[in-house]
Structures are given as C-alpha cells and as structure tokens.
Amino acid sequence: MSTSERLQIAILGGTGNVGRGLALRWAHAGHDVRVGSRSAEKAAQACSELNAQLECDAVRSGSNREVAAAAPIVVLSVPYAAQRATVEEVRDLLEGKILIDTTVPLVPPKVARVQLPNGGSAVAAIQELLGSAVKVVSAFQNVSAHLLLELKHEVDCDVLVCGDDVAARETVIGLIADIGLRGVHAGPIANSAAAEALTSLLISINARYKVPGAGIRITGLQNP
Amino acid sequence: MSTSERLQIAILGGTGNVGRGLALRWAHAGHDVRVGSRSAEKAAQACSELNAQLECDAVRSGSNREVAAAAPIVVLSVPYAAQRATVEEVRDLLEGKILIDTTVPLVPPKVARVQLPNGGSAVAAIQELLGSAVKVVSAFQNVSAHLLLELKHEVDCDVLVCGDDVAARETVIGLIADIGLRGVHAGPIANSAAAEALTSLLISINARYKVPGAGIRITGLQNP
C-alpha cells in the first residue's frame, strides 16, 4: 500500500503542530516536502527547525502560493477559522491536484463538545467550493499532533480517509502508510463529518481520562 | 467497573437485532431483563426465542409500557423513524430513570453516507424533549448487532457513552462491562452526534472491505 515514488508534497499552514508533524514524517520517509505559511519568514523558521530535527536539509519552505504551485499534492493544516481564506488564496493553483484537508471545525473555547458546522462537514464544504476539478480528501482529523511530532514514537491509531474520488483516497492511504500509519477508506467526503466530530469526542476523552492523545482504531478488518 | 447488583432492564424495541442482542447478553450476565414491543405478542415471541438460546426462562416480555413501568433502566432500540413516537408512548413512565438510547439516525437507502439529523444528534434531541428529569445516555451506536447476538463470540470494540449526567454514564459503563465490553466516557449528550455519524462510516467500511462488523476502539487510554 505504501508509495514507491518520491512525491512532492506542499503543506499549507506548515508551521502548526499537525503541519510540522506531517512534514517531519513525510520528509523522513523520503518525500520532497515544502512547508508554506502566509508569511514566508515563518515558514522558513519552521523549515530550519524541521531540518535540524531531521539532521539534513530535506524540507524546503515558501509562501503558501509558492509551495502550492510546485506540488501535485497539497495538504491543508490551518485552523478552522483560516480554512476557507487559505483555500481561496491558492485556489487557481489546485486544479487537477489532490488536496488533503486535515481541518477540524473546532469552535473554541468548547472544543470538547461536538459543534457541527453548517452542512455537517468543514471539509465537504471545501470540496463543494472547489468543484470536481480538485480532488479533496479528508484525513488526519483524529491523529494527535504531538505524537506526530515525536519521530521516535509509533502513533497508535488509524487514519479515517474520506473522499469522493477513490483513486485519490488510495494515493493518500499510500502516503499514510509511508509514515507508519494505517489509512482506512471511510467513504465519500460527506462522511468526513463523522471524523471531524470525533475529534471533540477524543478531546473530551483526553480530559476525562487525563491522557495526552486518545485516538481510534478500526476493528473487524481482515488485515489489521 | 461492572455492576454488582442485579438490575431491572427494560428494552423497548426488544424484537430488533440490537435489542435482542443486548437482552441476551444482559440476561446471561444475570440481570432481570424484560423485552417490550408495540405488540406484546411480538415481544413474547422474541422472548421465548431468547430463553431458548439461554436455556432458561430468564427474560420476560410485555408491551413497551408494561416493561418500561417496571424497570429503573430503560433501553431504546427502535429504528430512527420510530424513536420519537416510542419515547412519547412511555414518556410519563421515565421520570427519574436512565434512558439508554441506541438510536442511529440512518436514512435509508443511503445508510453508508453520513446524513445528520437537525441539530446533529438524534439522541440529544430526545434529551431535549424529555428535559432533565430523565437521564438520557447514548450508547451502542457502533456495535454490530449480529456480533451481540452470538453469545460465544467476544465483541472486539469499545462503546462510546455520552450523556450530560456523569453518574448515569457511570452506571451504563458498568452495565457495558457486565457484557464484556469496555464503555468509554465520551462527554456530554451533544457528543452523541459523533457516535451516530460514525455508524454510517462503519457501514461504508464494511462494504469497502467486505467485512460484516467493523467497529472502533479508543487508543491511548492508560488502562486498555
């Protein structure tokens, strides 16, 4: 299932925890990773920290538009409040590409309580905005960012992967395997609503059980 | 965590798969179980089949009102379309009790696609309807009914337990432990939206991976 070729991956919002964690792990797996930010300086700063951790200059940086222009796979890892504006900023650069959207529609301060956005899914709303020319795939909503950031630690959870284009989902599942996680086909982009809502439930579990990163695994599959 | 006393449990819609599975397992665990139905005859029929499987006369039956009147713990396991009418039918008998609502707002025929009800959660809507005199707890949305019905099989999944009353959730988690499953405190009743939506996602996984009963486990807890 894992990807055999070296892929170019642009991470918009690559200075946040999820973005840095994914950049670190994909670069470590051998992919060509570029982290972007609204501010190219912030991206450069995150980039040099990542390269220090990787002990090589594997990651490059740029503005969101610069990195999005260069890569066939674009990852969105910005706060919910910045999701739509970031997509609008790079919209003309996304045609024909896969957009992996990690957005969770958390509404602070009540982040441990499910608060659904209009329509139910923040990611499905982006697929609707972009139309079928962009293959939006929802993933990583339920993965603890701080676990991703510790390269030495295995991350004990699965990744729910939703999207209307099955081949695009398959590509993303390969990229997930490259960082040692299992991605699971979880249906059309509308199903992202479940993965997004689940994040608040996991935050609630973290608080109740005083643990740092509750996650989920899918049981009952034949190849666990 | 498991319950030390014998509890009276009424199962409304006890003739369906989830209802029969729960009746079977709770009776087997030693609880005093009564299955109800709109039709007392149908309930009696399900009851005698359950007792045949248990090889004793542990389960009793009656109309929904008869069984609800007799028990401090009432379980709702009817199709989404019958949820509200069934609650209305027994409403005056629920005061001061725990109502375990297993409802999943599936909208046939597209049951593998998340379709959220108004407000997001079918169970939260029932808590709102009943007010604080009834402690509504959401559970079992993600447990495969056919696995529950095979007493010999361990069920490999966790049960997400949502509810605004923590003590009521704790009671339900004890009852879940009695049938060999782990219940997990998953926050307020609003969070039931995530568990309910997850069911369509699991149905989608069943179809994609050709398995009969995908489920979920929570990872990252200290006492797994």
Side-chain angles (χ1 to χ4, degrees):
Chain A
M1 290 286 261
S2 64
T3 311
S4 53
E5 51 177 338
R6 187 164 191 258
L7 292 175
Q8 288 184 308
I9 305 172
I11 303 185
L12 312 187
T15 61
N17 286 338
V18 171
R20 284 185 298 125
L22 291 173
L24 189 68
R25 287 180 179 258
W26 274 321
H28 189 252
H31 290 297
D32 180 4
V33 176
R34 298 172 197 212
V35 295
S37 171
R38 273 194 304 180
S39 138
E41 296 85 64
K42 275 195 181 171
Q45 172 68 21
C47 182
S48 65
E49 285 169 20
L50 289 167
N51 284 329
Q53 202 173 339
L54 288 161
E55 297 176 353
C56 67
D57 281 348
V59 179
R60 284 178 282 175
S61 69
S63 69
N64 281 335
R65 284 191 62 83
E66 283 166 351
V67 301
I73 294 176
V74 179
V75 180
L76 187 62
S77 65
V78 298
Y80 176 45
Q83 181 200 27
R84 188 166 281 253
T86 307
V87 169
E88 295 281 16
E89 185 193 348
V90 298
R91 182 172 184 167
D92 59 308
L93 305 169
L94 296 177
E95 198 154 323
K97 299 184 178 180
I98 292 175
L99 178 68
I100 304 177
D101 190 347
T102 72
T103 302
V104 177
L106 296 178
V107 188
K110 292 197 172 176
V111 295
R113 186 188 189 87
V114 174
Q115 295 176 89
L116 297 158
N118 278 339
S121 161
V123 179
I126 293 301
Q127 178 67 81
E128 201 171 328
L129 172 72
L130 293 173
S132 59
V134 184
K135 292 158 187 167
V136 178
V137 176
S138 166
F140 297 109
Q141 276 78 14
N142 309 131
V143 180
S144 161
H146 89 270
L147 291 178
L148 283 178
L149 281 163
E150 297 177 35
L151 255 190
K152 287 176 200 159
H153 285 267
E154 252 190 68
V155 183
D156 179 20
C157 68
D158 289 332
V159 180
L160 299 172
V161 180
C162 304
D164 291 342
D165 187 285
V166 176
R169 266 197 253 144
E170 196 68 38
T171 299
V172 175
I173 286 172
L175 286 169
I176 291 166
D178 290 341
I179 58 175
L181 289 167
R182 182 175 71 167
V184 178
H185 282 279
I189 201 73
N191 286 5
S192 180
E196 295 168 31
L198 199 52
T199 303
S200 288
L201 196 146
L202 291 170
I203 293 171
S204 168
I205 290 173
N206 286 343
R208 171 81 197 182
Y209 292 92
K210 299 182 172 55
V211 296
I216 64 149
R217 281 222 181 264
I218 300 298
T219 61
L221 297 182
Q222 270 146 351
N223 302 308
Chain B
M1 290 289 260
S2 65
T3 310
S4 53
E5 51 178 338
R6 186 163 191 260
L7 292 175
Q8 288 184 309
I9 305 171
I11 303 184
L12 313 185
T15 60
N17 286 338
V18 172
R20 283 185 299 124
L22 291 174
L24 190 69
R25 286 178 181 260
W26 274 321
H28 190 250
H31 289 297
D32 180 3
V33 175
R34 297 172 198 214
V35 295
S37 171
R38 273 194 304 180
S39 138
E41 296 83 65
K42 275 195 181 172
Q45 172 67 19
C47 182
S48 65
E49 285 168 21
L50 289 167
N51 284 330
Q53 202 172 340
L54 288 161
E55 298 177 355
C56 68
D57 280 348
V59 179
R60 285 178 281 176
S61 69
S63 68
N64 281 334
R65 282 191 63 82
E66 283 165 352
V67 302
I73 293 174
V74 179
V75 180
L76 187 62
S77 64
V78 297
Y80 176 44
Q83 180 200 30
R84 189 166 282 251
T86 307
V87 169
E88 296 281 15
E89 184 192 348
V90 299
R91 183 172 184 167
D92 59 308
L93 304 169
L94 296 177
E95 198 154 323
K97 299 184 177 179
I98 292 175
L99 178 68
I100 304 177
D101 190 347
T102 71
T103 301
V104 177
L106 295 177
V107 188
K110 291 196 173 178
V111 295
R113 185 187 190 89
V114 174
Q115 295 177 88
L116 297 158
N118 278 340
S121 162
V123 179
I126 293 300
Q127 178 68 82
E128 201 172 325
L129 172 71
L130 294 173
S132 59
V134 184
K135 292 158 187 166
V136 178
V137 176
S138 166
F140 296 109
Q141 276 77 15
N142 310 131
V143 180
S144 160
H146 89 268
L147 291 178
L148 283 177
L149 280 164
E150 297 177 35
L151 256 191
K152 286 176 201 160
H153 285 269
E154 253 189 66
V155 184
D156 179 19
C157 69
D158 289 332
V159 180
L160 299 172
V161 180
C162 304
D164 290 342
D165 188 286
V166 177
R169 266 197 253 143
E170 196 68 39
T171 299
V172 175
I173 286 172
L175 286 170
I176 291 166
D178 290 341
I179 59 175
L181 289 167
R182 182 174 71 166
V184 177
H185 282 280
I189 201 73
N191 286 5
S192 180
E196 296 167 31
L198 200 52
T199 302
S200 288
L201 196 146
L202 291 170
I203 293 171
S204 168
I205 290 173
N206 286 343
R208 171 82 198 182
Y209 293 91
K210 299 182 172 54
V211 296
I216 64 150
R217 281 220 181 265
I218 300 298
T219 61
L221 297 182
Q222 271 146 352
N223 301 308

